[in-house]
Amino acid sequence: MPSFLKLFVFMKRNTCPVCAFPLQTCVCSYIGELIDNSIEVVVMQHPSEAKVAKNTAKLLALQLRNIQIVVGENERDFDNLKAYCEQKHVALLYPNDQAQSLVQQRDEYANLHAVIVLDGTWKKATKLYQLNPWLHHLPSLKFDTVDASEYTIRKSKHKYSLSTLEATAHFLNLIDSCNVDALYTLQKGMVEEQMKLMPVDVKARY
């Protein structure tokens, strides 16, 4: 067997077939009952984020019934999603200058077909927004206030930055009336599993 095929087989054997995390950081024991969200969650994921082991969009896919993750960067990567947004009532969860308060507009947006969430570092999410001007025509939503993030294994310069999972959970709880406890439990479990592998000096930074 060629060496690259041996490596592929080794990697597959050491990855959980259910959650797709490495076996040593498997999160299956933390997965709860599927959340039956009526508003579809569409994650626009920057390609670099798809490679991050600690990415929380993967957790959303394990816990939500109504979700799709679309990986790309430029407008042509999202042709199908753009067409979908032209036919359906879709909003963007992104705090631009035109974004409306979710608390003040919760009744107006309870009948959304889908909400788009940008997945990446703040810099990458901003780049996604800039490279896809069609997003600028969607109604934008933002949170007035949020609790401090529990996603402690990735740092952000922004004090009140949320993980993709936390932002989505907060939205679904507020607008779709979903019980999102299972999402927070799953993220907490993933953080705990990742922390177990960190050297003591690295763990101290978090």
Side-chain angles (χ1 to χ4, degrees):
M1 181 184 295
S3 59
F4 72 89
L5 286 180
K6 290 180 181 178
L7 177 61
F8 177 76
V9 171
F10 176 78
M11 290 176 65
K12 293 295 287 185
R13 286 177 179 172
N14 286 274
T15 301
C16 175
V18 177
C19 70
F21 278 79
L23 291 176
Q24 58 186 349
T25 56
C26 172
V27 298
C28 286
S29 62
Y30 304 101
I31 300 174
E33 286 189 29
L34 278 180
I35 297 172
D36 195 15
N37 51 307
S38 59
I39 299 175
E40 182 180 17
V41 173
V42 181
V43 179
M44 283 180 61
Q45 186 175 68
H46 191 276
S48 65
E49 194 66 18
K51 304 172 186 176
V52 175
K54 298 176 284 188
N55 173 264
T56 63
K58 294 190 297 183
L59 302 179
L60 288 173
L62 292 170
Q63 198 64 75
L64 296 181
R65 189 180 299 279
N66 198 6
I67 181 174
Q68 61 170 310
I69 299 176
V70 187
V71 181
E73 185 173 23
N74 300 305
E75 189 167 357
R76 62 180 178 275
D77 298 325
F78 301 105
D79 282 343
N80 291 338
L81 178 56
K82 181 181 177 182
Y84 175 80
C85 292
E86 291 172 351
Q87 302 170 16
K88 302 290 185 178
H89 187 195
V90 181
L92 173 68
L93 187 59
Y94 183 78
N96 55 35
D97 292 339
Q98 293 76 42
Q100 296 182 328
S101 163
L102 269 172
V103 174
Q104 296 175 7
Q105 304 294 331
R106 61 183 305 173
D107 293 335
E108 179 181 347
Y109 290 103
N111 63 344
L112 283 173
H113 291 107
V115 62
I116 293 177
V117 184
L118 305 182
D119 185 46
T121 62
W122 184 252
K123 182 177 179 180
K124 295 296 185 181
T126 301
K127 187 174 182 181
L128 276 175
Y129 182 72
Q130 292 173 342
L131 291 176
N132 291 273
W134 58 275
L135 289 175
H136 304 181
H137 302 294
L138 297 177
S140 298
L141 304 173
K142 65 179 180 181
F143 303 125
D144 287 335
T145 59
V146 293
D147 294 330
S149 174
E150 296 296 325
Y151 187 40
T152 54
I153 52 177
R154 291 184 75 179
K155 292 186 177 294
S156 172
K157 296 179 181 179
H158 302 273
K159 183 178 180 181
Y160 295 106
S161 289
L162 299 177
S163 69
T164 298
L165 179 146
E166 289 169 329
T168 302
H170 195 43
F171 172 87
L172 290 177
N173 177 251
L174 194 63
I175 303 299
D176 206 9
S177 300
C178 294
N179 183 335
V180 294
D181 291 347
L183 283 173
Y184 293 116
T185 298
L186 185 53
Q187 178 180 263
K188 182 179 179 181
M190 188 265 279
V191 169
E192 290 178 357
E193 294 302 320
Q194 294 287 336
M195 292 280 280
K196 289 177 184 178
L197 300 180
M198 290 183 181
V200 175
D201 59 326
V202 174
K203 190 182 299 186
R205 296 182 220 153
Y206 295 95

